Amino acid sequence: MVISTRTKFTDQLNEVEEYIRRFGEKTVADVRAAGLAANGDKGAAEGVMDGRKAEDRLRSAIENTCLDIMLLQQPLIGVDLRFVSGAFRMVSDLSHIDSMTRDAVFLSEDIPEKASKKIETEISQMSEQAAAMVEKAVDAFCASDVQRAQEVMEADNAVNELYVAVEDKLVGLIRDGKASAQYLPELLMVAKYFERMGDLAKRIAAWAIFRVTGEHVVAEKASQRQAATAE
């Protein structure tokens, strides 16, 4: 009986991991598609907007399986507990990224192509880097790979720098009289969505580290920053 119960438990953990990989693959594809859509690709935009049902199914599958594990496998301890609790939290981050891809696409629809062209290169780079971060973060979680997760956290700096470059570029164009300020808020918001996707990928990487070590890396770094500021 014990062997049978443990086998079912292992199967459930593997099932959650498979769902997470599938959710991650969908999210990565949507981030890349959102970058194309922001640069005028209507086909990519339609694909992102039509993906809500798939997201809901995957999120429900992960959450329901995690709930079954927590209710039927007691007590959960050690790495098993960290895997289930981390999965619960990272699926929320993946859902937020998916929502942001749709928001970016929706906002981009109202921006003329001539305006969006001004930051086409930066948006392409931001979307690709954010997608790569999500992909690597999900892999790190499923593989219990701390080093890979740390690489994701370091990669966020590049996305942040690209967002700052977008700000500087748009402000410079307006200052030099080469662009209208009419679509400035929308363009900045689209770029901000991709910057936030990078932040959420970083949080997923933090859950990968938590799964292995039990340490809340992001929270600890935030506390360190607050302490340094207080000094």
Side-chain angles (χ1 to χ4, degrees), residues 37-48:
N39 288 329
D41 189 325
K42 302 299 183 183
E46 291 176 4
V48 174

Side-chain angles (χ1 to χ4, degrees), residues 30-46 48 101 103-129 162 166 169-170 186-188 190-191 194 197:
D30 282 350
V31 173
R32 290 194 169 110
L36 294 173
N39 288 329
D41 189 325
K42 302 299 183 183
E46 291 176 4
V48 174
T101 63
D103 290 341
V105 169
F106 181 77
L107 190 58
S108 298
E109 290 176 346
D110 294 329
I111 302 175
E113 185 176 352
K114 184 178 179 180
S116 63
K117 284 288 184 182
K118 300 183 187 305
I119 57 170
E120 181 177 16
T121 299
E122 290 81 2
I123 291 298
S124 294
Q125 292 175 351
M126 290 183 78
S127 63
E128 180 55 39
Q129 291 200 35
L162 281 166
V166 169
K169 186 173 188 177
L170 291 175
E186 289 84 356
L187 289 169
L188 281 176
V190 169
F194 288 106
M197 291 175 205

